[in-house]
Amino acid sequence: MKGFKVLVLAVFLITVFASLGMAKKLVYGYVTPGPDTWYRKDVEGFVYAANLAGVEVVVLNSDYDVEKEISNIQTLVNMKVDGMCIFSFNPNGAFIAARECAKAGIPLVVTDNVGEVLKSKDPVVACIDFNWDAMGKDIAQYVATNYPGENIAVIMGRLEHVPVQMFLKSFEPAVKELGKNKIVAIRDGQYIPDEAVKQAQDLIESGYKFSVLFVFNEEMGAAVVRMLKSRGLLNNPIKVITTNGAPYGIELIKEGGIKYSISSSPGWEGFVSFLALHSYVTGKIKALRQWIFLPITPITPETIDDKTKVVPWDIDPVWIQLTKEYFPEYKGLLDVLN
């Protein structure tokens, strides 16, 4: 009889502790593709939201290695994490994660995959993206309006990266349709500043005739600006245009080194990726195959110092404000996090 009472008391205490939020702590896994600043900031945004929610995060870096990425996915599956987010650098990574997570019953959110994984037969909670299609058209329109008749050279990130492909899929036809400019070369900068500089130098020394240089992100763009400036070619005649709205990019825009960019914060993207996953795991939103787009904003003199327009890359409470505005479905969750 005494043993029965002890058992009843133990069950009661477990129930009380669970109701007080002392149940097993949730653990999410995050597979990140490489050391690039964009990816690091995406992770920081995810972890920031997780810390607010009291969720533990295991981050595994694939270092742009396909086999390592597969190993990272399997490691998290074997750990039986409560949810997973993957940011893959190649088209197959997200599909592999979807398959393995489906077999293990682990909810999955995919970042920057332009919705490709939603074609999988395996269930995915959500894809979190920026509108790369709109971004390509916006850059084409800016160049056509401001530099008509000038040739464009392009240095992208990794050409196998799906957002890169999506951007080019809209950018190239838009340039052709507008009819004001011509693309003379497209190079792969591999998201590595030194490689972007090497490609820019080769474009110049190979005799390509261009005066507009589009560089896919500002980490590469900043390095290219420094090289052009050292050679007396910056804005004489080569103008640099890029994307992302990184802190160092903002400063270069103010100085005139970068002529135009578009704000897209990876930190906020990581923050929203967590909310999409956590809202599903906690049962607040049960929808699958969601495709969630974060807004993009042209960086102009009027918007450049407005955090609600040019969204910070570094952790900032404005992410909470913006999320409530653009994603009201997470408001209740955010109120709890606050």
Side-chain angles (χ1 to χ4, degrees), residues 94 108-118 124-129 273 276 289-293:
L108 175 70
V109 165
V110 178
T111 300
D112 270 9
N113 177 255
V114 297
E116 285 296 298
V117 76
L118 298 179
V124 172
V125 172
C127 279
I128 316 298
D129 280 299
S273 294
R289 301 185 183 278
Q290 303 169 65
W291 198 358
I292 300 168
F293 287 98

mmCIF file of all heavy atoms in Angstrom, residues 94 108-118 124-129 273 276 289-293:
data_model
loop_
_atom_site.group_PDB
_atom_site.id
_atom_site.type_symbol
_atom_site.label_atom_id
_atom_site.label_comp_id
_atom_site.label_asym_id
_atom_site.label_seq_id
_atom_site.Cartn_x
_atom_site.Cartn_y
_atom_site.Cartn_z
ATOM 1 N N ALA A 94 17.752 19.502 -49.320
ATOM 2 C CA ALA A 94 16.441 19.668 -48.685
ATOM 3 C C ALA A 94 15.559 18.444 -48.916
ATOM 4 O O ALA A 94 14.798 18.038 -48.025
ATOM 5 C CB ALA A 94 15.758 20.926 -49.223
ATOM 6 N N LEU A 108 9.980 19.427 -40.239
ATOM 7 C CA LEU A 108 11.090 20.066 -40.948
ATOM 8 C C LEU A 108 10.668 21.394 -41.553
ATOM 9 O O LEU A 108 9.616 21.497 -42.179
ATOM 10 C CB LEU A 108 11.597 19.150 -42.072
ATOM 11 C CG LEU A 108 12.687 19.720 -42.986
ATOM 12 C CD1 LEU A 108 14.011 19.864 -42.238
ATOM 13 C CD2 LEU A 108 12.873 18.852 -44.230
ATOM 14 N N VAL A 109 11.525 22.403 -41.361
ATOM 15 C CA VAL A 109 11.395 23.688 -42.054
ATOM 16 C C VAL A 109 12.634 23.863 -42.928
ATOM 17 O O VAL A 109 13.753 23.545 -42.509
ATOM 18 C CB VAL A 109 11.263 24.855 -41.052
ATOM 19 C CG1 VAL A 109 11.505 26.194 -41.735
ATOM 20 C CG2 VAL A 109 9.879 24.842 -40.412
ATOM 21 N N VAL A 110 12.430 24.352 -44.145
ATOM 22 C CA VAL A 110 13.532 24.533 -45.109
ATOM 23 C C VAL A 110 13.682 26.015 -45.422
ATOM 24 O O VAL A 110 12.697 26.706 -45.702
ATOM 25 C CB VAL A 110 13.262 23.741 -46.401
ATOM 26 C CG1 VAL A 110 14.370 23.979 -47.408
ATOM 27 C CG2 VAL A 110 13.138 22.250 -46.099
ATOM 28 N N THR A 111 14.918 26.494 -45.369
ATOM 29 C CA THR A 111 15.200 27.912 -45.601
ATOM 30 C C THR A 111 15.866 28.119 -46.958
ATOM 31 O O THR A 111 16.744 27.345 -47.348
ATOM 32 C CB THR A 111 16.118 28.454 -44.484
ATOM 33 O OG1 THR A 111 15.460 28.289 -43.224
ATOM 34 C CG2 THR A 111 16.421 29.921 -44.680
ATOM 35 N N ASP A 112 15.425 29.161 -47.671
ATOM 36 C CA ASP A 112 16.039 29.571 -48.947
ATOM 37 C C ASP A 112 16.125 28.439 -49.967
ATOM 38 O O ASP A 112 17.179 28.191 -50.559
ATOM 39 C CB ASP A 112 17.428 30.156 -48.709
ATOM 40 C CG ASP A 112 17.383 31.660 -48.468
ATOM 41 O OD1 ASP A 112 16.278 32.193 -48.316
ATOM 42 O OD2 ASP A 112 18.445 32.303 -48.439
ATOM 43 N N ASN A 113 15.015 27.796 -50.204
ATOM 44 C CA ASN A 113 14.954 26.704 -51.175
ATOM 45 C C ASN A 113 14.002 27.052 -52.317
ATOM 46 O O ASN A 113 13.731 26.238 -53.187
ATOM 47 C CB ASN A 113 14.516 25.419 -50.454
ATOM 48 C CG ASN A 113 14.345 24.222 -51.358
ATOM 49 O OD1 ASN A 113 13.221 23.824 -51.661
ATOM 50 N ND2 ASN A 113 15.445 23.633 -51.795
ATOM 51 N N VAL A 114 13.491 28.275 -52.310
ATOM 52 C CA VAL A 114 12.502 28.793 -53.268
ATOM 53 C C VAL A 114 11.368 27.796 -53.527
ATOM 54 O O VAL A 114 10.876 27.662 -54.643
ATOM 55 C CB VAL A 114 13.141 29.269 -54.600
ATOM 56 C CG1 VAL A 114 14.072 30.424 -54.355
ATOM 57 C CG2 VAL A 114 13.889 28.178 -55.323
ATOM 58 N N GLY A 115 10.973 27.098 -52.481
ATOM 59 C CA GLY A 115 9.800 26.228 -52.566
ATOM 60 C C GLY A 115 10.015 24.925 -53.289
ATOM 61 O O GLY A 115 9.066 24.146 -53.442
ATOM 62 N N GLU A 116 11.238 24.621 -53.731
ATOM 63 C CA GLU A 116 11.480 23.407 -54.512
ATOM 64 C C GLU A 116 11.095 22.136 -53.748
ATOM 65 O O GLU A 116 10.524 21.213 -54.302
ATOM 66 C CB GLU A 116 12.957 23.338 -54.922
ATOM 67 C CG GLU A 116 13.339 24.289 -56.051
ATOM 68 C CD GLU A 116 12.619 23.960 -57.351
ATOM 69 O OE1 GLU A 116 12.826 22.862 -57.873
ATOM 70 O OE2 GLU A 116 11.833 24.799 -57.809
ATOM 71 N N VAL A 117 11.411 22.114 -52.445
ATOM 72 C CA VAL A 117 11.164 20.908 -51.669
ATOM 73 C C VAL A 117 9.671 20.643 -51.467
ATOM 74 O O VAL A 117 9.271 19.525 -51.142
ATOM 75 C CB VAL A 117 11.894 20.980 -50.303
ATOM 76 C CG1 VAL A 117 11.150 21.918 -49.344
ATOM 77 C CG2 VAL A 117 12.055 19.600 -49.691
ATOM 78 N N LEU A 118 8.852 21.650 -51.707
ATOM 79 C CA LEU A 118 7.407 21.454 -51.591
ATOM 80 C C LEU A 118 6.886 20.503 -52.675
ATOM 81 O O LEU A 118 5.757 20.010 -52.579
ATOM 82 C CB LEU A 118 6.671 22.795 -51.665
ATOM 83 C CG LEU A 118 7.002 23.794 -50.544
ATOM 84 C CD1 LEU A 118 6.236 25.091 -50.741
ATOM 85 C CD2 LEU A 118 6.708 23.201 -49.172
ATOM 86 N N VAL A 124 6.576 18.571 -45.499
ATOM 87 C CA VAL A 124 7.460 19.604 -44.956
ATOM 88 C C VAL A 124 6.565 20.655 -44.307
ATOM 89 O O VAL A 124 5.514 20.999 -44.859
ATOM 90 C CB VAL A 124 8.309 20.241 -46.080
ATOM 91 C CG1 VAL A 124 9.084 21.439 -45.563
ATOM 92 C CG2 VAL A 124 9.254 19.206 -46.681
ATOM 93 N N VAL A 125 6.969 21.150 -43.152
ATOM 94 C CA VAL A 125 6.148 22.155 -42.474
ATOM 95 C C VAL A 125 6.094 23.435 -43.300
ATOM 96 O O VAL A 125 5.023 23.954 -43.590
ATOM 97 C CB VAL A 125 6.692 22.452 -41.054
ATOM 98 C CG1 VAL A 125 5.947 23.639 -40.432
ATOM 99 C CG2 VAL A 125 6.561 21.222 -40.174
ATOM 100 N N ALA A 126 7.275 23.951 -43.687
ATOM 101 C CA ALA A 126 7.283 25.235 -44.398
ATOM 102 C C ALA A 126 8.608 25.464 -45.109
ATOM 103 O O ALA A 126 9.650 24.943 -44.707
ATOM 104 C CB ALA A 126 7.028 26.389 -43.420
ATOM 105 N N CYS A 127 8.549 26.247 -46.181
ATOM 106 C CA CYS A 127 9.725 26.829 -46.827
ATOM 107 C C CYS A 127 9.718 28.323 -46.511
ATOM 108 O O CYS A 127 8.697 28.997 -46.691
ATOM 109 C CB CYS A 127 9.674 26.636 -48.336
ATOM 110 S SG CYS A 127 10.216 25.021 -48.883
ATOM 111 N N ILE A 128 10.844 28.836 -46.062
ATOM 112 C CA ILE A 128 10.984 30.254 -45.732
ATOM 113 C C ILE A 128 11.895 30.884 -46.782
ATOM 114 O O ILE A 128 13.035 30.447 -46.967
ATOM 115 C CB ILE A 128 11.583 30.456 -44.337
ATOM 116 C CG1 ILE A 128 10.937 29.504 -43.316
ATOM 117 C CG2 ILE A 128 11.450 31.917 -43.917
ATOM 118 C CD1 ILE A 128 9.465 29.681 -43.111
ATOM 119 N N ASP A 129 11.401 31.903 -47.458
ATOM 120 C CA ASP A 129 12.151 32.479 -48.577
ATOM 121 C C ASP A 129 11.996 33.987 -48.653
ATOM 122 O O ASP A 129 11.040 34.557 -48.128
ATOM 123 C CB ASP A 129 11.643 31.901 -49.904
ATOM 124 C CG ASP A 129 12.198 30.525 -50.205
ATOM 125 O OD1 ASP A 129 13.426 30.409 -50.325
ATOM 126 O OD2 ASP A 129 11.402 29.573 -50.291
ATOM 127 N N SER A 273 11.964 31.459 -39.455
ATOM 128 C CA SER A 273 12.090 30.009 -39.637
ATOM 129 C C SER A 273 11.822 29.279 -38.324
ATOM 130 O O SER A 273 11.138 28.248 -38.298
ATOM 131 C CB SER A 273 13.490 29.653 -40.144
ATOM 132 O OG SER A 273 13.711 30.156 -41.446
ATOM 133 N N ALA A 276 8.035 29.392 -37.531
ATOM 134 C CA ALA A 276 7.266 28.453 -38.354
ATOM 135 C C ALA A 276 7.380 27.038 -37.810
ATOM 136 O O ALA A 276 6.385 26.301 -37.732
ATOM 137 C CB ALA A 276 7.749 28.516 -39.802
ATOM 138 N N ARG A 289 3.305 22.232 -45.707
ATOM 139 C CA ARG A 289 3.623 22.751 -47.042
ATOM 140 C C ARG A 289 3.333 24.255 -47.171
ATOM 141 O O ARG A 289 2.846 24.729 -48.198
ATOM 142 C CB ARG A 289 2.872 21.965 -48.123
ATOM 143 C CG ARG A 289 3.210 20.479 -48.113
ATOM 144 C CD ARG A 289 2.564 19.736 -49.267
ATOM 145 N NE ARG A 289 2.855 18.318 -49.196
ATOM 146 C CZ ARG A 289 3.987 17.746 -49.634
ATOM 147 N NH1 ARG A 289 4.915 18.505 -50.173
ATOM 148 N NH2 ARG A 289 4.183 16.446 -49.517
ATOM 149 N N GLN A 290 3.630 24.979 -46.118
ATOM 150 C CA GLN A 290 3.490 26.432 -46.172
ATOM 151 C C GLN A 290 4.664 27.018 -46.970
ATOM 152 O O GLN A 290 5.779 26.525 -46.884
ATOM 153 C CB GLN A 290 3.518 27.026 -44.769
ATOM 154 C CG GLN A 290 2.474 26.484 -43.810
ATOM 155 C CD GLN A 290 2.757 26.932 -42.399
ATOM 156 O OE1 GLN A 290 2.705 28.114 -42.078
ATOM 157 N NE2 GLN A 290 3.089 25.978 -41.532
ATOM 158 N N TRP A 291 4.400 28.069 -47.724
ATOM 159 C CA TRP A 291 5.471 28.784 -48.421
ATOM 160 C C TRP A 291 5.420 30.224 -47.940
ATOM 161 O O TRP A 291 4.494 30.954 -48.256
ATOM 162 C CB TRP A 291 5.294 28.688 -49.931
ATOM 163 C CG TRP A 291 6.555 29.016 -50.701
ATOM 164 C CD1 TRP A 291 7.757 29.403 -50.193
ATOM 165 C CD2 TRP A 291 6.729 28.968 -52.112
ATOM 166 N NE1 TRP A 291 8.677 29.593 -51.195
ATOM 167 C CE2 TRP A 291 8.065 29.334 -52.385
ATOM 168 C CE3 TRP A 291 5.882 28.656 -53.170
ATOM 169 C CZ2 TRP A 291 8.572 29.409 -53.677
ATOM 170 C CZ3 TRP A 291 6.393 28.727 -54.464
ATOM 171 C CH2 TRP A 291 7.721 29.093 -54.713
ATOM 172 N N ILE A 292 6.404 30.607 -47.149
ATOM 173 C CA ILE A 292 6.387 31.878 -46.441
ATOM 174 C C ILE A 292 7.456 32.799 -47.022
ATOM 175 O O ILE A 292 8.645 32.471 -47.037
ATOM 176 C CB ILE A 292 6.636 31.647 -44.937
ATOM 177 C CG1 ILE A 292 5.531 30.742 -44.359
ATOM 178 C CG2 ILE A 292 6.704 32.969 -44.187
ATOM 179 C CD1 ILE A 292 5.820 30.221 -42.971
ATOM 180 N N PHE A 293 7.019 33.965 -47.513
ATOM 181 C CA PHE A 293 7.930 34.942 -48.108
ATOM 182 C C PHE A 293 8.137 36.123 -47.163
ATOM 183 O O PHE A 293 7.166 36.704 -46.677
ATOM 184 C CB PHE A 293 7.376 35.477 -49.431
ATOM 185 C CG PHE A 293 7.440 34.497 -50.567
ATOM 186 C CD1 PHE A 293 6.322 33.755 -50.908
ATOM 187 C CD2 PHE A 293 8.607 34.319 -51.285
ATOM 188 C CE1 PHE A 293 6.361 32.850 -51.953
ATOM 189 C CE2 PHE A 293 8.665 33.414 -52.335
ATOM 190 C CZ PHE A 293 7.538 32.683 -52.663
#
